[in-house]
C-alpha cells in the first residue's frame, strides 16, 4: 500500500491510500473538522466511485474499527486445528435443501456428513449449541465443525446438492 499526505491550502489535508490492486481511498480532513471519504475502484480515475461525509466522531469510530478495537479477525489458517484436520465454518441453508424444515435430529446431519452443527443464526437470533429438537429453516446460517470433507458434504446438503 502506498500512502501519501498533501496539504490543501485553505481547506485542510488530503490522505491518499493506493492499494496493491490499484484502487484508491482518499480522506480529506477540513480545518473545520469535516471529513470526506472517497473510494476510487481505479486509482487513475478522475471521478470517485463512492463518496461520503463523516463527522469527527464517525471518523474516529471507523479508525478504531479498522484498527481492530472491538474485533480482531482470526487468520483462517488458525481456525484449522489438529494439523488441518478440524475446520469451523459457516454454511447457509437454502430453500431446496433436504435439511430444510427438519429438526437437527430428523435431518441426521451428523450421520450423513460427519459434521456437527454447533451454532445457528436465525434472523437476528443466535443459538449456541442448539438442541437436537431445533428446527432448521431456510436462510439459517449454520456454524459447523468437522473435517474439511465433512464440511464440504454438509455444504452440498445445505445447497440442495446432496
Amino acid at each position: 500500500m502506498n500512502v501519501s499526505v498533501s496539504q490543501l491550502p485553505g481547506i485542510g489535508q488530503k490522505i491518499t491510500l493506493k492499494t496493491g490492486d490499484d484502487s484508491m481511498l482518499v480522506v480529506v480532513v477540513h480545518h473545520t473538522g469535516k471529513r470526506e471519504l472517497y473510494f476510487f475502484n481505479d486509482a487513475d480515475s478522475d471521478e470517485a466511485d463512492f463518496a461520503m461525509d463523516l463527522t469527527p466522531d464517525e471518523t474516529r469510530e471507523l479508525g478504531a474499527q479498522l484498527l481492530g478495537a472491538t474485533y480482531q479477525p482470526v487468520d483462517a489458517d488458525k481456525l484449522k486445528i489438529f494439523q488441518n484436520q478440524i475446520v469451523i465454518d459457516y454454511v447457509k441453508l437454502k430453500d431446496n435443501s433436504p435439511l430444510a424444515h427438519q429438526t437437527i435430529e430428523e435431518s441426521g446431519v451428523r450421520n450423513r456428513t460427519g459434521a456437527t452443527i454447533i451454532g445457528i443464526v436465525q434472523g437476528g437470533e443466535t443459538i449456541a449449541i442448539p438442541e437436537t429438537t431445533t428446527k432448521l429453516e431456510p436462510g439459517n446460517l449454520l456454524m459447523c465443525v468437522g473435517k474439511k470433507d465433512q464440511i464440504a458434504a454438509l455444504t452440498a446438503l445445505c445447497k440442495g446438492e446432496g
Side-chain angles (χ1 to χ4, degrees):
M1 179 180 292
N2 180 5
V3 179
S4 63
V5 178
S6 56
Q7 299 303 314
L8 301 173
I11 297 173
Q13 191 175 60
K14 177 173 114 176
I15 301 107
T16 304
L17 301 102
K18 290 184 182 177
T19 67
D21 67 351
D22 203 36
S23 58
M24 182 171 63
L25 190 64
V26 175
V27 180
V28 176
V29 181
H30 292 254
H31 294 302
T32 62
K34 176 182 173 182
R35 272 89 164 162
E36 297 173 332
L37 180 66
Y38 299 93
F39 174 74
F40 298 81
N41 196 35
D42 178 2
D44 293 328
S45 178
D46 291 332
E47 193 170 325
D49 295 293
F50 174 80
M52 66 185 294
D53 291 343
L54 296 170
T55 67
D57 287 340
E58 291 167 338
T59 305
R60 280 188 285 284
E61 180 64 25
L62 177 60
Q65 295 302 325
L66 291 172
L67 287 171
T70 60
Y71 176 74
Q72 282 292 323
V74 176
D75 185 340
D77 291 337
K78 291 181 182 174
L79 291 176
K80 298 176 184 177
I81 306 169
F82 303 118
Q83 299 172 344
N84 296 327
Q85 293 290 318
I86 305 297
V87 177
I88 298 173
D89 204 354
Y90 290 88
V91 181
K92 188 159 190 160
L93 187 65
K94 302 290 184 178
D95 290 323
N96 61 336
S97 170
L99 306 178
H101 308 293
Q102 293 186 13
T103 65
I104 292 174
E105 184 176 26
E106 291 168 342
S107 74
V109 68
R110 177 83 168 100
N111 291 333
R112 291 168 84 172
T113 67
T116 301
I117 298 170
I118 60 173
I120 301 174
V121 179
Q122 290 181 335
E125 181 184 359
T126 301
I127 303 167
I129 317 298
E131 299 291 329
T132 59
T133 56
T134 303
K135 199 169 203 178
L136 302 172
E137 298 293 344
N140 285 172
L141 190 60
L142 309 179
M143 182 181 190
C144 46
V145 63
K147 294 180 181 178
K148 189 174 181 178
D149 61 326
Q150 294 169 332
I151 300 296
L154 176 57
T155 299
L157 271 178
C158 287
K159 289 181 177 179
E161 299 169 359

